[in-house]
Amino acid sequence: MKVHQFDAVIVGAGGAGLMAALYAVKGGANVAVVSKLYPTRSHTGTAQGGIGAALGNLEEDSPLWHAYDTVKGGDWLSDQNAAKVLAEEAIDAVIELEHMGLPFDRTEDGRISQRRFGGHTSDFGKKPVRRACHAADRTGHMILQTLYQQCIKHNVNFFDEFHVVDVIINKGAVVGCVAVELGTGEIHVFHSKATLFATGGWGRVWSVTSNAHSLTGDGAAITYRRGIPVQDMEFYQFHPTGIYKLGILITEGVRGEGGVLINGRGERFMERYAPNIKDLASRDVISRSIYLEIREGRGIKGKDYVYLDVTPETVNRYLAEAGESRRIDRDYVESKLPDILDFCRTYLGVDPVREPMPIQPTAHYSMGGIPTNVNAEAVIDEDWTVIPGLYAAGEVACVSCHGANRLGTNSLVDLVVFGRRGGMAIADYVKHADFVPLPANPSAEVESELNRIRSSTGKTRPGEIRQQMQRAMMDGVGVFREESGMKAALDCIYELKERFNNDLSIDDKGMKFNTDLLEAWELGCLLDIAELTTISALERKESRGAHSREDYKERDDANWMVHTLVEHQDGIGASLRAGVKPRINLNKRVDTSLSDVDERFAPKVRTY
Ligand SMILES: Cc1cc2nc3c(=O)[nH]c(=O)nc-3n(C[C@H](O)[C@H](O)[C@H](O)COP(=O)(O)OP(=O)(O)OC[C@H]3O[C@@H](n4cnc5c(N)ncnc54)[C@H](O)[C@@H]3O)c2cc1C
């Protein structure tokens, strides 16, 4: 076992982790970034459509309208203080990225170009507004490369292909983490004053997903096991447009550029569900509409998909119908959506400038995660009590600006705004905090779990368990939910957990590059996340945002303006024992600080 000591350890090298590392270093801290992937392979690099900021470069916009759209899109469960910070600091964060050298698309007069996106409106919902700043359809790639270069320039220490498997808690504080070095199998203990989790999401819980194979919810599972709660796990977003069967994402930017959804009868069906904003309604609304069309037999050829059409002929027809003067041609589509065209041509044999793309909803984004305040400090209860030394930012965190449903482009904003705040908070904290000593044998428990998996001699392959879990979650805890389906999914998860703990088998018993071992360990995280998602979803007896229950169809503001906290029975510092059931705490109220001064921010029925 090797022990390293740094003021701050950042787990994860996506947009949130790199931004936090950069700001912690600039603030004078000695920082290590520990990442299971080589940094530029993080999922942030696949983000396509854009990053939202009310720059107002093409038409009038304001951060207050951005905050309003965020809260409304979140179906009023957003913590409004966080939504306000997000919208206000987005502007500065985007300009900062520009100054770091990020090659944004430009307007004719040289400013950052902006396009439409779902749920982005001006004047409190009156009409669509151009707010999404973009670098073609590879915005996330540009952000990740830009931030990585900056981190290298500022001497951040990188531990690439180090897989974090545990968080260390001593005397009520987080004092570091334990990692496996992929290349050698060696155990490393990172001793730190501050640890920030930026490990991204967990789309791999479901069978059709836009998420990379690595998105297995490690950060939330690791901290949950040691007694840090997770928040709002029932809110998981299905993006409406994934490539049929493959789940690969087709950005909302396609609809932002004028693309439309078409059913098996050739109808633009969103006119029925969202008469004003149509194909640019928020994602939960569109995913449900697609499911309803399919359920009523109006999928393409009666099957379970619909079309997304961005051919210039179709787009221009609808632009003309709407009285807009703008027209597009094939060159324009090629220049604005090059990666999307490439995906469809490569994986589907479909050329989107000539024919429509077959799409279906795909598991995409976790609104829930490790609860934090607006400084990315982890909080452990309804009184917002901070646990010293623990921070979280990005998709794994739940600062809850996104509430029950995230708006397109708001995740990239979340990464840079709250990653930056986390980095600054850490730089301040480590200046005055001392190192809390490591406990005796800090890696013993997790090593014994890894050894159990490595030497397992049961009959069940991890791949079998994974597939069954993904199917159960897709069927029972997907776009639509009801009690019996969720209970069936939960029974299945408990049975699979039992097999994971007592009947597992893996092939590779070695130390070097043992991806068999680490993928099996990741499966354990997925099972925990699936369990936490399902029990949270069963508990919330209403429909809100991405959580849509057929047995409780209405949103219930009187009873449910609360966050769902799920906690380990044994509390902070719990030991890693299998089979402990979580408990639910529903006492954390939603922050309504904007609605206290402006009644437009009070919950209303959503209309589009
Ligand atoms: C296809 C796609 C397109 C998207 N498009 C957009 C968009 O246009 N606009 C938008 O706002 N949002 C978009 N999103 C969402 C957004 O990209 C993600 O929410 C965001 O990038 C997550 O960033 P992150 O920094 O939290 O984590 P990630 O970028 O996912 O990075 C996670 C990091 O954690 C590390 N890690 C994980 N587990 C461990 C472990 N156990 N030990 C060590 N390291 C670990 C990984 O190595 C990685 O470096 C998109 C998402 C997808 C999947």
Side-chain angles (χ1 to χ4, degrees):
M1 179 181 91
K2 278 194 185 139
V3 181
H4 311 261
Q5 199 180 60
F6 291 93
D7 290 336
V9 170
I10 312 291
V11 185
L18 295 182
M19 196 71 174
L22 190 58
Y23 267 84
V25 159
K26 283 189 185 172
N30 178 18
V31 179
V33 171
V34 182
S35 174
K36 70 178 180 183
L37 301 176
Y38 186 76
T40 50
R41 295 188 63 212
S42 304
H43 193 73
T44 298
T46 69
Q48 301 169 351
I51 174 165
L55 303 178
N57 282 355
L58 289 147
E59 46 200 351
E60 191 189 354
D61 201 356
S62 108
L64 198 63
W65 298 343
H66 185 183
Y68 173 82
D69 291 340
T70 303
V71 171
K72 178 183 177 191
D75 221 354
W76 317 96
L77 195 83
S78 306
D79 280 327
Q80 298 185 349
N81 57 336
K84 183 164 179 273
V85 167
L86 178 95
E88 283 175 350
E89 295 184 10
I91 295 178
D92 187 45
V94 165
I95 291 172
E96 183 181 10
L97 290 171
E98 181 189 31
H99 291 181
M100 287 177 185
L102 196 149
F104 282 111
D105 280 21
R106 299 280 159 184
T107 62
E108 273 175 14
D109 58 356
R111 293 191 283 175
I112 294 174
S113 174
Q114 299 186 276
R115 64 177 159 214
R116 287 182 182 169
F117 239 75
H120 294 190
T121 70
S122 61
D123 206 5
F124 301 94
K126 294 246 166 58
K127 61 177 182 32
V129 71
R130 293 190 185 131
R131 185 179 294 146
C133 313
H134 56 278
D137 54 359
R138 40 180 95 101
T139 314
H141 173 85
M142 297 306 184
I143 291 179
L144 196 61
Q145 300 289 335
T146 304
L147 290 177
Y148 186 53
Q149 288 163 4
Q150 291 291 317
C151 283
I152 296 292
K153 178 174 160 191
H154 287 89
N155 298 321
V156 172
N157 301 284
F158 279 93
F159 291 83
D160 301 334
E161 300 191 334
F162 276 59
H163 201 131
V164 172
V165 286
D166 202 3
V167 62
I168 310 170
I169 298 183
N170 198 21
K171 302 181 194 299
V174 168
V175 300
C177 59
V178 182
V180 179
E181 183 177 356
L182 182 63
T184 61
E186 200 174 351
I187 297 284
H188 295 251
V189 167
F190 289 86
H191 184 201
S192 57
K193 296 179 183 174
T195 305
L196 181 140
F197 277 84
T199 49
W202 42 84
R204 289 282 150 183
V205 164
W206 289 269
S207 54
V208 176
T209 177
S210 66
N211 281 196
H213 284 278
S214 58
L215 290 172
T216 49
D218 307 3
I222 289 171
T223 50
Y224 163 74
R225 288 168 185 173
R226 293 298 190 179
I228 314 295
V230 281
Q231 179 172 308
D232 293 345
M233 296 297 282
E234 64 275 36
F235 297 109
Y236 195 88
Q237 178 174 84
F238 280 72
H239 191 293
T241 59
I243 293 183
Y244 181 48
K245 286 191 175 155
L246 301 176
I248 297 173
L249 193 78
I250 302 293
T251 174
E252 203 165 308
V254 170
R255 283 170 284 133
E257 297 293 356
V260 290
L261 292 159
I262 305 285
N263 68 14
R265 291 191 193 156
E267 298 160 337
R268 185 185 184 184
F269 57 87
M270 282 313 298
E271 287 176 338
R272 260 205 299 285
Y273 301 96
N276 284 331
I277 202 158
K278 303 188 181 78
D279 301 86
L280 289 173
S282 64
R283 291 175 178 174
D284 54 335
V285 175
I286 301 205
S287 287
R288 281 197 289 278
S289 307
I290 294 173
Y291 260 73
L292 291 172
E293 289 296 304
I294 290 170
R295 198 189 284 177
E296 284 163 30
R298 296 194 291 271
I300 307 298
K301 300 181 195 134
K303 293 205 183 134
D304 54 348
Y305 66 94
V306 296
Y307 279 145
L308 173 60
D309 192 342
V310 73
T311 57
E313 300 69 43
T314 304
V315 172
N316 289 338
R317 180 153 51 84
Y318 284 111
L319 284 173
E321 246 177 47
E324 290 197 34
S325 55
R326 191 169 78 94
R327 295 293 177 269
I328 65 169
D329 59 20
R330 285 181 186 175
D331 288 345
Y332 178 84
V333 181
E334 298 273 357
S335 75
K336 286 290 175 186
L337 301 162
D339 278 6
I340 294 301
L341 302 189
D342 197 34
F343 294 152
C344 287
R345 287 167 184 158
T346 305
Y347 298 113
L348 283 174
V350 164
D351 186 354
V353 295
R354 294 169 208 279
E355 53 194 324
M357 300 165 252
I359 57 96
Q360 72 180 146
T362 183
H364 184 59
Y365 183 85
S366 58
M367 272 70 72
I370 303 170
T372 71
N373 60 24
V374 291
N375 293 321
E377 295 169 308
V379 299
I380 51 172
D381 58 25
E382 66 271 22
D383 299 324
W384 299 79
T385 306
V386 167
I387 174 162
L390 184 64
Y391 299 75
E395 193 170 336
V396 71
C398 181
V399 59
S400 199
C401 49
H402 311 304
N405 171 59
R406 171 176 72 79
L407 284 193
T409 78
N410 263 356
S411 173
L412 293 178
V413 190
D414 178 349
L415 308 183
V416 291
V417 166
F418 293 106
R420 179 162 78 171
R421 282 181 158 247
M424 291 199 251
I426 285 177
D428 273 355
Y429 178 74
V430 302
K431 273 187 200 131
H432 64 77
D434 291 325
F435 280 98
V436 176
L438 289 170
N441 297 328
S443 60
E445 262 195 286
V446 73
E447 275 189 82
S448 100
E449 168 65 358
L450 290 168
N451 287 336
R452 174 189 78 80
I453 299 176
R454 197 195 316 266
S455 56
S456 57
T457 53
K459 291 184 293 302
T460 316
R461 323 285 294 175
E464 265 173 63
I465 298 182
R466 188 181 306 110
Q467 262 186 10
Q468 288 184 29
M469 172 199 68
Q470 290 172 333
R471 232 176 288 131
M473 290 298 286
M474 203 76 193
D475 292 348
V477 202
V479 170
F480 285 106
R481 301 151 175 201
E482 44 78 37
E483 183 163 313
S484 63
M486 288 190 278
K487 282 194 165 151
L490 193 59
D491 287 346
C492 175
I493 292 158
Y494 284 136
E495 196 219 310
L496 294 172
K497 279 192 145 190
E498 179 63 29
R499 283 158 70 191
F500 179 82
N501 288 323
N502 298 311
D503 189 35
L504 199 65
S505 110
I506 68 166
D507 288 333
D508 188 346
K509 310 286 180 200
M511 295 301 283
K512 294 185 180 164
F513 286 99
N514 194 341
T515 49
D516 236 16
L517 170 71
L518 289 168
E519 281 173 20
W521 178 87
E522 288 174 335
L523 173 62
C525 295
L526 286 172
L527 287 167
D528 280 0
I529 298 283
E531 176 193 7
L532 298 170
T533 304
T534 309
I535 62 165
S536 305
L538 269 163
E539 193 69 22
R540 184 173 287 272
K541 296 183 178 55
E542 65 156 355
S543 287
R544 183 186 295 271
H547 177 62
S548 187
R549 287 191 63 149
E550 306 212 70
D551 42 359
Y552 297 92
K553 290 199 161 118
E554 301 300 319
R555 200 180 73 206
D556 176 359
D557 294 328
N559 294 306
W560 288 101
M561 285 293 281
V562 294
H563 298 293
T564 317
L565 292 175
V566 189
E567 301 167 325
H568 194 286
Q569 291 282 354
D570 298 345
I572 300 295
S575 62
L576 297 182
R577 53 192 178 97
V580 181
K581 296 276 193 303
R583 67 165 173 241
I584 296 217
N585 169 355
L586 294 170
N587 295 319
K588 191 162 183 248
R589 308 276 326 159
V590 172
D591 177 282
T592 53
S593 44
L594 290 175
S595 73
D596 295 344
V597 291
D598 183 341
E599 77 77 37
R600 283 175 297 202
F601 282 84
K604 283 172 221 67
V605 176
R606 278 203 291 178
T607 49
Y608 286 99

